């Protein structure tokens, strides 16, 4: 029996309680708002696990133009420069907004922001809090701010299962939770559901986050963009822990070097060396591992005994794995870390479906292009969460609730992780991607527990198979070069399914 929560009728609904969702709900206040979140408030979020911090050009030697240039270079021709310039131009305001909600960023003794350096940034511009505990400090402060606003109702332990639409516009949200299935009747829903690392075996994301927001939006008819671009963080701590712990780029920013099991510094001849763009470093490490080698971060000379002071959270994770990072080599490997693609939005966070906004990692705004510049995602989540909320507050419409579908089974991505990890990893080729499409299509079209995750993975595979080049985080062994003209691709689920069906029927015709 599905209960309709009439008491919340017409309130904007925010799905997810990471940085994008919390900022959006706070910006909507004092308008009565509902947050729906799968775990406890702020739990199961990448936001709370962020180590490095937020990119903002606040140093005396820096400016938004330099930050934009670094972002466009990392994005490898696919950023939308107008969108990127707009978001980067609001970085200083974003930091000030977070401070107003109580975030205390680290300062140097003279009272200025202590700015860190990360890969592919030409200046020190990473604003951090609590050393390497930036995300946790930010989420703690925002949760405290939410608790002080009685206009925000929080439904913890509830998972969004389907977006309800009438005549193509949002009219409600179907959720499941500890008290059963519920419907929130609303014409305004914001998805802030985070990344999709949970589709893969090796990831730094909370395992429960497999990109469900993308599946929900895709089923509602929203256009998706840049789905093929999955960023692998080069240096996850290679241990038994799942998800894998991250050894932030900031450690390399402080001078730690990458070496193989022979002690060779294999990035020494690459432009940018250890701080080359993430895809370059991830591919170099993958190549070392593929030849049967091992890769380590050596922070002994750069940090030594200071490691635990500068990076207390990373030091604790290393100690948990039995490694003293100040005096021993740290074993590392690439792992899925961030998704540049997602639900296509405009500059206010609006998707192609009336009444559906999307912000944070689940969105594809055009900021990141083919590869995200480190620490631009917390910036985007803050700027776009606030922008989407402001835009939602202007929107007035109340379509009547139509038929309520039966609740689908709880989604589970475990059964597709092997296929996704094997075929849609750091290095791709046509055979692997077609194999992925053939395995995923029947699951995506079915109504089992793997249907939602299979839809997301199938979208990655279809977009990836159409990009016959290597660009940014998308590396193909059969198309190692870039095409002359860089184009973003946007498509809705129907079109992707039609392409997948055609690809598999051609395979069938060939084998018959
Ligand atoms: C280990 C790690 C370190 C990082 N470090 C940095 C960094 O230093 N700087 C930087 O800029 N970026 C960093 N990133 C990336 C950055 O943290 C994320 O991109 C960003 O936090 C995403 O924020 P978000 O609000 O979009 O999603 P998240 O913070 O991931 O929150 C998603 C929320 O949605 C909820 N949810 C998902 N599906 C549903 C559903 N169906 N129903 C209800 N709730 C749902 C989740 O439970 C969660 O509450 C890091 C990422 C990781 C994993």
């Amino acid at each position: 029996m599905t209960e309709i929560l009439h008491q919340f009728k017409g309130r904007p609904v925010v799905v997810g309680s990471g940085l994008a969702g919390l900022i959006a709900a706070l910006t909507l206040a004092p308008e009565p708002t509902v947050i729906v979140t799968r775990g406890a408030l702020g739990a199961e979020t990448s936001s709370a696990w962020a180590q490095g911090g937020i990119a903002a050009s606040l140093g005396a030697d820096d400016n938004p133009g330099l930050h934009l240039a670094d972002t466009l270079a990392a994005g490898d021709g696919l950023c939308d420069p107008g969108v990127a310039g707009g978001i980067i131009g609001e970085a200083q305001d974003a930091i000030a907004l977070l401070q107003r909600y109580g975030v205390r960023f680290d300062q140097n003794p003279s009272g200025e922001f202590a700015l860190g350096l990360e890969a592919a940034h030409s200046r020190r511009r990473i604003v951090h809090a609590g050393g390497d505990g930036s995300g946790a400090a930010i989420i703690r402060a925002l949760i405290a701010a939410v608790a002080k606003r009685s206009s925000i109702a929080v439904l913890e332990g509830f998972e969004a299962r389907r977006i309800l639409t009438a005549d193509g516009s949002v009219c409600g949200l179907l959720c499941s939770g500890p008290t059963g299935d519920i419907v929130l009747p609303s014409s305004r829903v914001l998805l802030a559901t985070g990344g999709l690392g949970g589709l893969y075996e090796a990831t730094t994301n909370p395992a429960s986050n497999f990109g469900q927001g993308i599946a929900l939006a895709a089923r509602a008819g929203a256009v998706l963009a840049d789905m093929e671009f999955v960023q692998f963080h080069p240096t996850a701590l290679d241990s038994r822990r799942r998800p894998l712990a991250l050894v932030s780029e900031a450690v390399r920013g402080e001078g730690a070097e990458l070496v193989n099991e022979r002690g060779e510094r294999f990035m020494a001849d690459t432009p940018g060396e250890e701080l080359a763009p993430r895809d370059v470093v991830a591919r170099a490490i993958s190549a070392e591992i593929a030849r049967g080698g091992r890769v380590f971060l050596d922070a002994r000379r750069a940090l030594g005994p200071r490691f635990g002071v500068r990076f207390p959270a990373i030091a604790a994770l290393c100690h948990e794995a039995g490694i003293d990072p100040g005096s021993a080599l740290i074993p590392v490997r690439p792992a899925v870390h961030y998704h540049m693609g997602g639900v296509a939005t405009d500059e206010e966070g609006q998707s192609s479906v009336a009444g559906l906004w999307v912000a944070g990692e689940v969105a594809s705004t055009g900021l990141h292009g083919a590869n995200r510049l480190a620490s631009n995602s917390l910036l985007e989540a803050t700027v776009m969460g606030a922008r989407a909320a402001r835009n939602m507050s202007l929107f007035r419409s109340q379509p009547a609730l139509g038929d309520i579908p039966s609740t689908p089974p709880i989604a589970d991505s475990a059964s597709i992780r092997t296929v996704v990890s094997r075929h849609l990893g750091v290095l791709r080729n046509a055979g692997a991607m077609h194999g992925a499409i053939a395995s995923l299509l029947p699951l995506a079209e079915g109504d089992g527990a793997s249907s939602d995750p299979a839809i997301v993975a199938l979208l990655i595979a279809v977009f990836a198979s159409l990009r016959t080049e290597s660009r940014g985080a998308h590396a193909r062994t059969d198309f190692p070069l870039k095409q002359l003209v860089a184009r973003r691709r946007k498509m809705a689920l129907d079109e992707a399914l039609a392409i997948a069906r055609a690809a598999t029927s051609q395979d069938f015709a060939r084998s018959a």
Side-chain angles (χ1 to χ4, degrees):
M1 172 71 183
T2 302
E3 188 188 357
I4 300 176
L5 299 192
H6 293 288
Q7 67 272 35
F8 293 135
K9 185 171 177 189
R11 291 191 186 194
V13 179
V14 173
V15 186
S17 62
L19 177 51
L22 293 175
I23 276 288
L26 287 164
T27 306
L28 279 158
E31 179 174 3
T33 299
V34 185
I35 297 179
V36 174
T37 189
R38 189 189 276 129
L41 199 65
E44 296 179 35
T45 66
S46 290
S47 299
W49 294 0
Q51 297 173 345
I54 304 184
S57 54
L58 301 176
D61 61 346
D62 204 1
N63 62 59
L66 292 174
H67 185 179
L68 177 61
D70 291 344
T71 300
L72 299 182
D76 209 0
L78 276 197
C79 298
D80 179 323
V83 169
I87 293 174
I88 285 166
E90 284 183 40
Q92 194 162 354
D93 294 344
I95 299 294
L97 178 69
L98 292 171
Q99 286 180 306
R100 281 202 296 283
Y101 287 126
V103 180
R104 299 273 165 268
F105 290 106
D106 297 337
Q107 299 184 339
N108 58 30
S110 55
E112 292 151 346
F113 289 114
L115 299 173
L117 179 66
E118 287 191 348
H121 285 275
S122 58
R123 296 288 187 278
R124 284 194 165 262
R125 63 167 72 100
I126 315 304
V127 182
H128 47 86
D132 56 357
S134 299
I138 293 168
I139 293 300
R140 245 191 333 269
L142 297 188
I143 287 176
V146 165
K148 288 186 196 140
R149 282 158 180 84
S150 56
S151 60
I152 304 176
V154 182
L155 299 182
E156 291 180 312
F158 279 84
E159 183 175 272
R161 309 294 299 286
R162 289 292 177 265
I163 295 165
L164 308 181
T165 56
D167 297 326
S169 299
V170 171
C171 63
L173 188 72
L174 173 64
C175 308
S176 303
T179 55
D181 298 337
I182 58 163
V183 166
L184 294 162
S186 176
S187 59
R188 293 176 289 166
V189 169
L190 170 72
L191 294 175
T193 50
L196 50 62
L199 289 177
Y200 287 79
E201 280 158 355
T203 181
T204 60
N205 295 184
S208 51
N209 291 344
F210 65 83
Q212 192 166 16
I214 294 173
L216 297 178
R219 285 184 187 277
V223 171
L224 299 314
D226 301 339
M227 285 294 299
E228 65 273 42
F229 294 108
V230 177
Q231 185 175 76
F232 289 76
H233 196 290
T235 55
L237 180 63
D238 192 5
S239 71
R240 284 184 212 282
R241 186 182 191 274
R242 290 293 180 274
L244 292 172
L246 184 71
V247 184
S248 159
E249 231 130 38
V251 176
R252 278 172 281 141
E254 296 296 333
E257 294 176 345
L258 282 166
V259 294
N260 61 21
E261 79 287 0
R262 299 192 285 253
E264 294 159 348
R265 207 181 139 217
F266 55 92
M267 292 300 297
D269 297 331
T270 305
E273 304 177 358
E274 274 79 359
L275 292 177
R278 282 189 175 167
D279 56 308
V280 175
V281 184
R283 280 197 290 277
I285 295 178
S286 289
E288 291 291 323
I289 293 171
R291 65 153 181 81
R294 292 198 69 196
V295 175
F296 303 89
L297 257 179
D298 185 352
R300 293 174 297 186
R301 203 171 38 193
L303 287 157
R306 286 192 302 116
F307 195 111
V309 180
R310 173 65 181 90
F311 299 109
I314 301 172
L317 291 165
C318 289
H319 283 295
E320 191 185 297
I323 301 151
D324 172 13
S327 65
L329 294 175
I330 308 167
V332 290
R333 58 160 293 173
V336 170
H337 186 56
Y338 186 80
H339 186 219
M340 277 70 74
V343 184
T345 71
D346 66 12
E347 291 185 42
E348 307 302 330
Q350 244 181 321
S351 75
S352 60
V353 174
L356 181 64
W357 286 259
V358 187
E361 191 167 338
V362 61
S364 179
T365 60
L367 168 65
H368 305 299
N371 210 358
R372 175 191 66 131
L373 183 68
S375 288
N376 266 355
S377 38
L378 292 181
L379 171 64
E380 185 189 47
T382 310
V383 171
M384 293 307 297
R387 275 196 205 171
R390 286 194 293 270
N391 195 256
M392 285 172 93
S393 65
L394 303 174
F395 186 82
R396 292 281 168 264
S397 150
Q398 187 49 61
L401 209 49
D403 291 341
I404 297 169
S406 56
T407 314
I410 293 280
D412 183 5
S413 59
S415 63
I416 64 163
R417 279 187 197 141
T418 306
V419 111
V420 176
S421 306
R422 188 175 303 149
H423 295 319
L424 301 172
V426 176
L427 293 172
R428 300 162 176 183
N429 63 58
M433 287 181 295
H434 282 123
I437 290 172
S439 307
L440 294 166
L441 180 61
L443 301 172
E445 292 187 304
D447 54 9
S450 54
S451 175
D452 276 6
I455 281 178
V456 184
L458 183 71
L459 284 163
I460 298 173
V462 169
F463 274 69
S465 69
L466 296 176
R467 187 166 290 284
T468 49
E469 63 170 345
S470 290
R471 182 181 295 280
H474 174 68
R476 288 187 63 153
T477 51
D478 48 354
F479 290 97
L481 302 180
K482 253 182 257 186
Q483 288 187 352
L484 284 180
V485 182
R487 279 205 191 87
R488 293 182 72 197
R489 181 168 277 106
K490 298 186 182 182
M491 160 183 6
L493 178 61
D494 282 355
E495 194 185 340
L497 285 172
I499 292 168
R501 283 185 207 116
T504 48
S505 63
Q506 277 162 18
D507 290 348
F508 178 73
R510 267 198 296 273
S511 65

